[in-house]
Amino acid sequence: MPSLKGKDIISALELTREEVEHLYKVADELKQAFEAFGSLDIARNKVMITAFFEPSTRTKISFQMAMARLGGTVVDFLASVSSLAKGETDYDTIRILDGYDPDIIVIRQKKPGFPAEVAPWVKAPIINAGDGYNEHPTQALLDVYTISRELGKVDGVHIAIMGDLKYGRTPSSLSYLLSKFNDITIYYVAPEPLQIREEVIKNVEGKVRYELLNDIRELRGKPVDVIYVTRLQKERLPDPSMYESLKGSYRIDAALLKELFGDNIPIIMHPLPRTWELDTSVDPLPQAKYFQQAKNGLYVRAALIKEILGL
Ligand code: NCD
């Protein structure tokens, strides 16, 4: 049986299909257990530090809720009222947090590669909860879990990943995780300045089929099981005028989905938060899965914590 005990989770590229499938089994079991018992006590005496140097709602809270439901303790580092204001570096901050001997540190940071950089000298297992535009492996884990549980399979899936594929970190990690499965087709749908990064293509080349498209309408007539929409990453654009010129350049609503897919609307996913790219008219459709997707983060992250702690 694959074991993640004591491991860092830095990139979706490092996970194996066996590890992922095992995690999903554990996630299903924990979901049932949480529904039956509320909280468990298997992580008693274990402490997780959440160190988020960038804003977060879902990722941080679902990690914290997951640890709470497992019966462990969470200590939150709050960047906004920390010694960062006195000029302390993020590196020293992590060194100090690690010195208190937590059992896991979950890190979100602006600099691509930051978790990989500190992992060699941090004693605690590190979970990358997003490093700039680079990666967000636990988001990919919950995304693929959602696909698997909604469609009953991952192999053979046709997915359109749409929006800001260049400055977003969820399209890269999702592509990497899907590349562990068989017979995957990815349509990258984005206006030219937001198309998927070259390094992502390099990493999935030969492992998935892919097409680069500029507009969602080009999907008409193609088999599509999932549309995964992403927000324009305003905070990472090199120039603020770019936001104004690209705002509204891609968008789905219920009428457009009906027009393109008729009675065969694919499931709709989004890592959230959404802005203008996913209209609320989609929310009542049975294919709208983004709120369930966010909820699945709780079970998948609980499974990940359990496995890393070897519980
Ligand atoms: C994403 C992120 O932080 O990359 N949010 C999340 O974790 N669910 C997506 C985003 O911010 O657009």
Side-chain angles (χ1 to χ4, degrees):
M1 192 149 67
S3 172
L4 290 173
K5 188 171 175 191
K7 285 201 182 152
D8 299 316
I9 307 294
I10 306 287
S11 164
L13 280 171
E14 296 163 354
L15 292 161
T16 67
R17 179 179 181 144
E18 289 65 37
E19 285 166 345
V20 173
E21 286 180 339
H22 177 67
L23 269 179
Y24 291 174
K25 213 175 98 245
V26 176
D28 286 340
E29 288 163 7
L30 288 173
K31 177 173 192 258
Q32 273 187 10
F34 293 163
E35 280 164 5
F37 308 112
S39 297
L40 313 177
D41 69 350
I42 57 176
R44 202 178 41 234
N45 301 327
K46 301 290 185 190
V47 183
M48 178 178 83
I49 294 185
T50 43
F52 282 58
F53 300 84
E54 267 194 331
S56 172
T57 298
R58 277 150 290 273
T59 306
K60 184 157 105 170
I61 300 299
S62 62
F63 264 115
Q64 295 182 338
M65 283 295 295
M67 188 56 163
R69 291 285 184 215
L70 291 169
T73 300
V74 175
V75 173
D76 187 41
F77 163 77
L78 204 53
S80 58
V81 289
S82 70
S83 287
L84 294 176
K86 304 180 190 172
E88 185 160 46
T89 65
D90 294 4
Y91 296 92
D92 275 359
T93 304
I94 294 294
R95 192 178 294 276
I96 294 302
L97 299 179
D98 189 43
Y100 299 135
D101 296 328
D103 297 288
I104 294 187
I105 305 180
V106 184
I107 301 178
R108 170 171 287 190
Q109 222 267 354
K110 218 158 92 180
K111 188 174 174 219
F114 181 86
E117 214 179 312
V118 301
W121 49 260
V122 171
K123 294 191 303 303
I126 285 182
I127 301 179
N128 178 8
D131 57 330
Y133 63 74
N134 186 38
E135 274 214 60
H136 194 349
T138 66
Q139 179 70 42
L141 280 169
L142 74 94
D143 293 341
V144 175
Y145 175 82
T146 304
I147 293 171
S148 153
R149 295 319 184 240
E150 292 296 335
L151 301 180
K153 60 167 191 178
V154 181
D155 290 331
V157 157
H158 293 68
I159 180 171
I161 308 182
M162 170 181 166
D164 185 352
L165 313 182
K166 182 167 184 172
Y167 300 101
R169 53 193 168 204
T170 63
S172 42
S173 286
L174 177 56
S175 302
Y176 297 160
L177 205 63
L178 285 172
S179 76
K180 311 288 166 153
F181 291 81
N182 300 323
D183 198 21
I184 299 291
T185 306
I186 304 180
Y187 304 111
Y188 292 111
V189 185
E192 214 48 58
L194 302 177
Q195 243 322 340
I196 194 80
R197 298 188 299 278
E198 198 52 46
E199 96 240 13
V200 181
I201 294 292
K202 255 200 228 136
N203 282 324
V204 297
E205 194 87 65
K207 300 179 199 154
V208 304
R209 267 187 310 276
Y210 69 89
E211 269 185 60
L212 303 184
L213 308 175
N214 292 131
D215 191 286
I216 181 92
R217 286 167 189 81
E218 295 171 59
L219 291 175
R220 199 192 300 268
K222 293 186 191 289
V224 188
D225 304 298
V226 184
I227 299 181
Y228 184 98
V229 189
T230 65
R231 141 189 99 86
L232 181 53
Q233 307 283 301
K234 188 177 185 180
E235 67 277 30
R236 284 192 210 114
L237 298 176
D239 163 7
S241 70
M242 233 179 127
Y243 185 78
E244 289 314 314
S245 65
L246 287 164
K247 190 175 167 187
S249 60
Y250 59 88
R251 184 175 170 276
I252 61 167
D253 60 25
L256 179 63
L257 290 172
K258 189 94 192 117
E259 180 199 321
L260 294 179
F261 302 103
D263 291 334
N264 285 316
I265 296 177
I267 64 165
I268 310 298
M269 296 175 57
H270 192 306
L272 303 177
R274 68 171 145 190
T275 50
W276 37 259
E277 69 285 350
L278 174 58
D279 191 73
T280 51
S281 62
V282 179
D283 297 2
L285 299 182
Q287 292 88 354
K289 299 298 180 193
Y290 27 94
F291 294 116
Q292 182 60 46
Q293 178 187 354
K295 182 157 192 192
N296 288 343
L298 174 66
Y299 312 122
V300 171
R301 289 181 171 124
L304 191 61
I305 294 168
K306 178 176 181 290
E307 292 306 294
I308 290 175
L309 294 177
L311 303 174

